[in-house]
Amino acid sequence: MKKEYLQIDKVVGPLIQISDVDDVFYGEVVDIVEISTGNIKKGKVIKIEEKNVIIQVFQNTAGLAAGNSIIKFTGEAFNLPMSLDLQGRIFNGIGQPIDNGSDIFSLVEANINGRPINPMSREYPRNFIQTGISSIDTLATLIRGQKLPIFSGNGLPHNELAAQIVRQARLGDNVNEEFGVVFAAIGVKHDDEKFFRKSFDEANVMDRVVMFVNYADDPIAERVTTPRCALTAAEYLAFEKHMHILVVMTDITSYCEALREISSAREEVPSRKGYPGYMYSDLASLYERAGMLKDQVGSITFLPILTMPNDDITHPIPDLTGYITEGQIVLGRDLFQRSIYPPVAILPSLSRLMKDGIGEGFTRGDHAEVANQLFASYSKVQEVRDLSQIIGEEDLSPTDKKYMAFGRAFEAQFLNQGFDEGRNIIESLDLGWQLLSLLPLTELDRLSPENIDKYFPKKA
């Protein structure tokens, strides 16, 4: 039976408190009706202490007072209707359409908190997802079912990179399986949302994208729900409709800031830098929803993007994210300042599952060797550049001068590519071989003699 209460004890930011409440459960959906206007605001129960209940309101709490509202407990958890009609649609942070389209009507509903995957049912991630970006596909390959965050910073082009990945991502050549993208924009400005929408429309990919948007001026309570709505849609498409789903989410830092603000309003004891002590488990509850299931077609690959405050990779948000995920892609400010896009800093970047999803049968047999040699050679470039700062480039040895030339060509031709330029994995690998030809054969110690004979016949 639905119960109604006419008295609010306290309103603090996005939270309201009422007392003498019976028979409610954690996570129960609540309707808050303003008596004067009839407007209904949604909320959910986030704390029960004896007969006192705290409700998190998803809309603005302005105007709510002790005696002007009716609180209705619905007796239901927060569910979203699930359908293939989600594709091509744009929703707000609580799953309501904001694209002037109709509501989603379906007999199938799913709880936004998701379904925990039995560890014994997980399939080890294999095969790769092609992003069309050479630095990622070749050196930090994204594997189906992987959690691979992008660590960015304020002012870096992570929004452009996110849009480019959504536009270009695909499973690879000669693959007939269904592919889709779930995109969540958390705490973004209105012009950023318009940029994403315009970019997807112009590339004609909107029909395969499910988009959830939480604006910077939306209530913070909605912000913490946005990623859960997005991942719920991804779970339905992946495990019920057997699609391979790429979830791109920006910006996780905005999500964590909302967690901190709500935690402060609840008067919880803060942890590092004021963030709640449960932030690790909260982030894990999002990241661990990615993966693959045994004996079942479909996967969720998670590409969360976060901005590191002051470019500090030891900040709690990237630090905790790194513990849960399987690598990271780091954007470098020095590359960005030299007009290199995308400014992927490959040396601190890593994909821990890369070795199991590349090579013969997935990408190409020489992929691992090319990646290892490019990493080793570019690392040597950094040492030579440091030396040149001391003695000058003119006094470098002939081999070191070739490393300097390789470094400039690698950044200008391999790392740097246009916003509308997509390269398949074969083109990226061939470009890698072309750049390695600038170095003496004696320096290519990560390449097998067979591949050297194949790709450098004259040099060998």
Side-chain angles (χ1 to χ4, degrees):
M1 186 180 85
K2 295 182 179 180
K3 294 187 176 182
E4 298 182 0
Y5 294 82
L6 303 177
Q7 183 71 26
I8 295 176
D9 295 339
K10 186 166 60 173
V11 180
V12 181
L15 307 179
I16 63 176
Q17 179 179 318
I18 60 176
S19 56
D20 296 325
V21 179
D22 295 311
D23 296 328
V24 298
F25 59 88
Y26 184 86
E28 183 173 349
V29 175
V30 180
D31 291 334
I32 302 104
V33 183
E34 293 186 66
I35 296 174
S36 59
T37 63
N39 291 336
I40 299 177
K41 299 181 179 182
K42 290 286 186 181
K44 73 173 182 177
V45 176
I46 61 169
K47 186 176 182 180
I48 303 173
E49 194 172 79
E50 296 181 349
K51 291 193 174 185
N52 297 320
V53 171
I54 293 179
I55 298 167
Q56 177 177 293
V57 185
F58 295 124
Q59 285 89 9
N60 199 318
T61 55
L64 296 182
N68 72 348
S69 303
I70 300 174
I71 311 300
K72 297 181 179 180
F73 291 89
T74 64
E76 300 175 351
F78 199 125
N79 295 326
L80 289 182
M82 293 288 112
S83 165
L84 283 174
D85 294 336
L86 291 169
Q87 292 183 290
R89 299 295 305 278
I90 304 174
F91 305 90
N92 65 10
I94 56 175
Q96 297 172 336
I98 56 173
D99 56 0
N100 298 320
S102 64
D103 291 337
I104 300 295
F105 296 100
S106 174
L107 296 176
V108 180
E109 292 189 342
N111 190 309
I112 65 167
N113 292 312
R115 302 171 295 185
I117 300 177
N118 186 331
M120 297 301 294
S121 299
R122 285 185 179 269
E123 182 72 42
Y124 190 82
R126 300 281 183 183
N127 217 325
F128 83 118
I129 290 179
Q130 183 171 281
T131 66
I133 297 169
S134 293
S135 51
I136 296 176
D137 290 344
T138 308
L139 302 171
T141 311
L142 180 63
I143 306 301
R144 293 185 202 174
Q146 183 178 13
K147 314 175 279 287
L148 187 63
I150 296 177
F151 291 174
S152 183
N154 292 322
L156 296 181
H158 47 271
N159 284 341
E160 290 82 353
L161 180 59
Q164 186 171 3
I165 290 174
V166 171
R167 290 164 51 232
Q168 297 178 175
R170 56 195 179 97
L171 295 178
D173 298 327
N174 303 319
V175 177
N176 296 321
E177 296 168 302
E178 293 288 328
F179 177 70
V181 177
V182 174
F183 181 78
I186 306 170
V188 297
K189 297 181 292 185
H190 286 262
D191 56 348
D192 287 336
E193 185 272 337
K194 289 178 182 176
F195 161 74
F196 288 128
R197 192 185 304 202
K198 180 181 177 183
S199 179
F200 302 159
D201 284 336
E202 290 178 347
N204 296 317
V205 298
M206 194 63 209
D207 59 342
R208 73 173 189 184
V209 176
V210 184
M211 191 169 175
F212 291 85
V213 180
N214 168 259
Y215 294 107
D217 56 352
D218 283 338
I220 59 166
E222 180 183 311
R223 196 159 300 156
V224 300
T225 307
T226 307
R228 288 177 170 81
C229 291
L231 287 164
T232 302
E235 286 174 341
Y236 172 77
L237 295 173
F239 303 134
E240 299 296 333
K241 297 303 177 182
H242 311 299
M243 299 174 64
H244 294 285
I245 300 298
L246 173 63
V247 179
V248 180
M249 204 171 281
T250 180
D251 175 358
I252 294 295
T253 301
S254 296
Y255 170 82
C256 293
E257 295 288 351
L259 274 186
R260 179 165 65 174
E261 192 169 338
I262 292 174
S263 174
S264 177
R266 292 169 66 176
E267 299 179 353
E268 296 172 337
V269 177
S271 183
R272 280 199 297 166
K273 294 187 182 293
Y275 293 97
Y278 54 78
M279 189 167 74
Y280 176 86
S281 57
D282 193 284
L283 288 173
S285 72
L286 300 180
Y287 297 149
E288 289 298 327
R289 292 172 73 172
M292 303 173 67
L293 297 178
K294 291 180 180 177
D295 303 320
Q296 187 168 327
V297 177
S299 64
I300 298 176
T301 307
F302 198 4
L303 199 67
I305 299 172
L306 58 90
T307 51
M308 301 178 290
N310 300 317
D311 294 347
D312 181 11
I313 203 168
T314 65
H315 186 275
I317 300 173
D319 187 37
L320 296 178
T321 294
Y323 280 115
I324 306 167
T325 53
E326 294 129 0
Q328 70 279 331
I329 296 170
V330 181
L331 302 189
R333 193 168 297 276
D334 58 330
L335 293 172
F336 174 67
Q337 291 171 343
R338 285 186 274 144
S339 300
I340 294 173
Y341 171 86
V344 177
I346 66 163
L347 295 181
S349 298
L350 169 70
S351 172
R352 293 192 181 97
L353 303 184
M354 172 178 167
K355 64 184 186 303
D356 299 309
I358 63 172
E360 201 65 49
F362 299 121
T363 55
R364 201 169 73 181
D366 59 328
H367 187 160
E369 286 187 20
V370 173
N372 289 339
Q373 187 62 64
L374 287 173
F375 266 119
S377 300
Y378 192 62
S379 178
K380 177 69 173 178
V381 168
Q382 308 309 311
E383 297 177 14
V384 174
R385 283 177 175 171
D386 290 340
L387 179 62
S388 69
Q389 294 293 319
I390 300 171
I391 65 174
E393 188 171 344
E394 293 300 321
D395 292 327
L396 292 175
S397 68
T399 298
D400 287 347
K401 288 180 179 178
K402 289 185 177 181
Y403 270 109
M404 293 289 284
F406 166 80
R408 286 190 286 266
F410 179 79
E411 292 170 350
Q413 299 175 37
F414 192 89
L415 296 185
N416 192 41
Q417 64 183 91
F419 176 69
D420 296 313
E421 180 186 1
R423 301 174 187 159
N424 64 43
I425 187 63
I426 303 303
E427 292 172 334
S428 295
L429 291 173
D430 288 345
L431 180 57
W433 279 106
Q434 179 183 330
L435 293 170
L436 289 173
S437 68
L438 299 174
L439 296 173
L441 194 59
T442 54
E443 299 296 313
L444 305 179
D445 53 1
R446 305 298 178 98
L447 303 178
S448 66
E450 295 80 10
N451 279 326
I452 289 177
D453 291 339
K454 179 179 179 181
Y455 290 98
F456 299 146
K458 294 181 180 180
K459 201 166 185 175

